[in-house]
Amino acid sequence: MTNGEMNSGSDLREGLLSGSAHSPPSQVKRIGIDDMLRLHAGELGRWQLRHFVLTCAAWALEAFHTMVMIFADREPAWQCKFAGGCPPDNCGIPAASWEWVEGSAASTVSEWGLICGQRYKVGLSQSAFFAGCMVGAGVFGHLSDSFLGRKGSLTIVCILNAISGVVTSLSPTYWFYTGFRFLNGFGTGGVGLCAFVLATEPIGPSKRGVAGMSTFYFFSGGIAILAGVAYLFPTWRTLYIVSSLPSLVFVLLIIPFISESPRWYLIRRQTAKAMDIMRTIARCNGREIPPGITLKLDDEDDEENSKECSQVAESGSIIDVLRSRRTRLRLILMVGINFLCAIVYYGLTLNVVNLKTNLYLNVTLNSVAEMPAFVITAVLLDRLGRKPLGVGTMMLSGVSCSIGFFINGTGVLIKTIRMICGVIGIFGMAAMYNLLFIYTTELFPTVVRNTALGCVTQVAQLGAILAPLVVVAGQSLPFAVFGGCGIVGALLTCYLPETMNKPLYDTMTGLEDGEGKFVI
């Protein structure tokens, strides 16, 4: 048992005393975190904005580690050494008769000869990274809900990413490179979910949706920055070092100014620490928490229940999610939706290497093109609700990709229409991909929130592993797969409950009691 758990009872009493120095015990009022933010501390003030920006900077780091493969594993330009006709493919000519324009150090493809019959190894190393993400999301999703916390888990994954990224640049062979990419993915899989939950949990219920939709700006911005960095550092080994060091800078210069989630402290029965954060939020926002008010979990209805629960820290696992029919159905639906969404999002994103134009410009434009989707969804999120917006964006993407499948031909007009279908498809799916983070955090209580988010993120990474295999299937078939995934995902979303303007529950009991009237 940790010291925090042994002192949990005293922490709760300390929180009561510190919050009610001028009030008799009988006058202590105990309210939930959502009510505390809404009534006293402020839902989205100066403290939350600063904390949100600092925490979400980690999303740019995730973009660095994820999208670096586009540049490190690219196939550079080549040329024939001798005068005369040069064939369009270098697979059918002697190795001594051609050379890489930028030299063999430009990418992993040029250094290890990953062309022709060895080209599958490019996809294998990329799949290894996403496999690592799948494992890491589950591991750190659980650790951030348990003893390590949100901030502790984010610190560990950033350190792991910095080390693994630098080590990857030293890979002596392809197989070492693939192994280190798996390790890099293991850390990357925990960055987004830890940062998202840590950034949004201190925000009030009416502002949480818009704030959550804003997290992907940092991811898209990170991709755009990476394109510029890759242009300045074109060799793959140098690029891995330059793109990995910011994770270490984040740990040293930003993490110390980020606060642990007050919701995590509360479920760990460290009420005094949770109240300290709430007072800091209120003070920074120019507000004040009145004496005699303290925090409670949503399953604590009376003083007797509070005393009984105060002795044990709340904890949960994926088993607890599966035991409850309500959360079990939610998890199954979210698993299916995230899987389908990831196939379409990563599939359409990776298609940028097949455009045969300026890679750096294409990646930049691709990242910028996603941002309008975040603006529109942020505006509509608290007007239409999570469920209608999710159904609409996935259906838009699915129908658009399906149209791209039925359009055949090789003319300029046909290619332009198909490109537009792809842009609309990624527009809708990028919006849904971001929305799923918000939806998942609101569907599950604090005690298992990161565990559930880690589980669905794992499945999303499985979809990311399969996406490159869909892309290499040809020009038309991928659109059929992406269209089908979008439409089926929209139908599954219809069975989810609406969570707009509903509280973030802390415990499984609180969720069951608060939403007992709903079927799911």
Side-chain angles (χ1 to χ4, degrees):
M1 180 180 293
T2 64
N3 292 334
E5 290 170 335
M6 292 185 346
N7 296 328
S8 59
S10 61
D11 278 343
L12 181 59
R13 291 191 294 274
E14 185 178 340
L16 292 172
L17 292 174
S18 62
S20 56
H22 306 290
S23 302
S26 59
Q27 296 180 6
V28 171
K29 183 178 181 181
R30 306 176 68 247
I31 60 177
I33 285 185
D34 278 345
D35 288 334
M36 183 74 77
L37 291 169
R38 182 170 51 84
L39 299 174
H40 304 297
E43 292 192 76
L44 185 60
R46 186 167 53 185
W47 188 95
Q48 285 103 330
L49 287 173
R50 179 185 64 84
H51 185 262
F52 181 84
V53 171
L54 292 177
T55 306
C56 286
W59 276 86
L61 303 179
E62 181 180 5
F64 286 1
H65 294 290
T66 302
M67 299 305 175
V68 68
M69 68 178 70
I70 296 177
F71 305 100
D73 300 338
R74 64 191 171 93
E75 184 173 339
W78 61 278
Q79 63 185 6
C80 292
K81 293 182 179 180
F82 310 107
C86 194
D89 195 336
N90 55 4
C91 293
I93 59 177
S97 64
W98 65 275
E99 62 183 359
W100 299 105
V101 174
E102 302 175 53
S104 61
S107 74
T108 59
V109 171
S110 57
E111 179 161 336
W112 291 316
L114 307 181
I115 58 174
C116 304
Q118 300 295 311
R119 189 166 289 160
Y120 75 93
K121 290 184 177 179
V122 176
L124 184 61
S125 63
Q126 294 176 355
S127 293
F129 172 82
F130 287 119
C133 289
M134 183 172 63
V135 177
V139 171
F140 288 105
H142 172 72
L143 290 177
S144 61
D145 276 338
S146 58
F147 70 93
L148 201 54
R150 280 82 160 115
K151 181 178 177 180
S153 297
L154 184 59
T155 303
I156 295 299
V157 295
C158 287
I159 293 175
L160 181 60
N161 277 347
I163 295 174
S164 61
V166 173
V167 172
T168 300
S169 70
L170 305 175
S171 303
T173 66
Y174 165 81
W175 293 110
F176 273 98
Y177 173 77
T178 301
F180 290 140
R181 284 300 284 161
F182 176 87
L183 183 62
N184 194 224
F186 179 77
T188 304
V191 172
L193 67 93
C194 292
F196 183 87
V197 174
L198 184 58
T200 56
E201 281 192 335
I203 296 175
S206 68
K207 309 295 183 182
R208 193 178 301 123
V210 174
M213 290 301 296
S214 301
T215 57
F216 257 46
Y217 288 116
F218 294 85
F219 186 82
S220 297
I223 297 175
I225 294 172
L226 178 65
V229 172
Y231 180 80
L232 296 175
F233 300 93
T235 59
W236 75 270
R237 292 184 186 272
T238 305
L239 180 59
Y240 267 108
I241 295 175
V242 175
S243 63
S244 299
L245 290 180
S247 293
L248 184 60
V249 175
F250 181 83
V251 171
L252 296 177
L253 300 183
I254 297 182
I255 284 286
F257 297 97
I258 293 176
S259 172
E260 179 57 87
S261 170
R263 295 181 187 274
W264 181 81
Y265 278 132
L266 191 59
I267 64 171
R268 301 300 293 176
R269 302 296 174 175
Q270 300 180 41
T271 310
K273 293 183 178 179
M275 280 299 301
D276 287 342
I277 295 176
M278 299 306 295
R279 293 191 188 94
T280 301
I281 294 174
R283 185 168 57 252
C284 187
N285 291 345
R287 306 183 63 168
E288 183 180 359
I289 298 177
I293 294 181
T294 189
L295 291 170
K296 73 178 184 71
L297 291 173
D298 49 26
D299 64 346
E300 298 175 6
D301 296 326
D302 50 49
E303 185 176 355
E304 181 179 353
N305 187 35
S306 169
K307 291 180 179 179
E308 180 181 352
C309 294
S310 65
Q311 306 304 316
V312 182
E314 288 282 348
S315 62
S317 67
I318 198 66
I319 302 300
D320 298 305
V321 178
L322 295 174
R323 281 200 188 107
S324 167
R325 178 177 178 270
R326 181 170 289 104
T327 55
R328 180 172 64 247
L329 290 175
R330 292 180 179 186
L331 182 64
I332 292 173
L333 289 171
M334 292 303 288
V335 160
I337 296 168
N338 274 266
F339 175 76
L340 297 171
C341 183
I343 291 178
V344 181
Y345 177 77
Y346 284 105
L348 291 173
T349 301
L350 292 177
N351 257 334
V352 69
V353 298
N354 296 324
L355 298 180
K356 303 301 181 183
T357 53
N358 188 294
L359 180 62
Y360 306 99
L361 179 61
N362 280 333
V363 172
T364 302
L365 293 177
N366 193 49
S367 63
V368 173
E370 296 178 3
M371 293 185 180
F374 308 148
V375 175
I376 293 174
T377 50
V379 171
L380 298 178
L381 187 66
D382 290 326
R383 289 178 170 86
L384 299 180
R386 282 65 166 152
K387 181 175 176 178
L389 193 59
V391 173
T393 53
M394 288 207 82
M395 188 62 72
L396 173 66
S397 181
V399 171
S400 176
C401 291
S402 298
I403 293 174
F405 168 70
F406 288 109
I407 295 177
N408 297 314
T410 57
V412 176
L413 179 61
I414 296 299
K415 290 181 179 179
T416 302
I417 295 176
R418 185 173 290 166
M419 180 191 68
I420 293 174
C421 289
V423 170
I424 296 175
I426 199 169
F427 174 89
M429 204 53 67
M432 183 59 176
Y433 205 80
N434 193 10
L435 175 62
L436 284 174
F437 272 83
I438 301 172
Y439 218 158
T440 304
T441 58
E442 294 179 345
L443 284 172
F444 299 93
T446 304
V447 71
V448 293
R449 181 167 297 125
N450 261 24
T451 298
L453 187 58
C455 180
V456 298
T457 303
Q458 277 184 297
V459 178
Q461 298 304 334
L462 180 58
I465 293 173
L466 297 178
L469 304 179
V470 177
V471 172
V472 300
Q475 293 185 347
S476 296
L477 184 58
F479 274 104
V481 175
F482 299 152
C485 288
I487 293 173
V488 172
L491 296 177
L492 291 178
T493 306
C494 293
Y495 292 94
L496 288 172
E498 180 56 69
T499 59
M500 184 174 64
N501 294 330
K502 291 185 179 178
L504 278 185
Y505 294 99
D506 296 316
T507 63
M508 296 294 292
T509 302
L511 175 67
E512 294 290 343
D513 293 342
E515 298 195 356
K517 59 183 178 180
F518 296 106
V519 175
I520 296 181

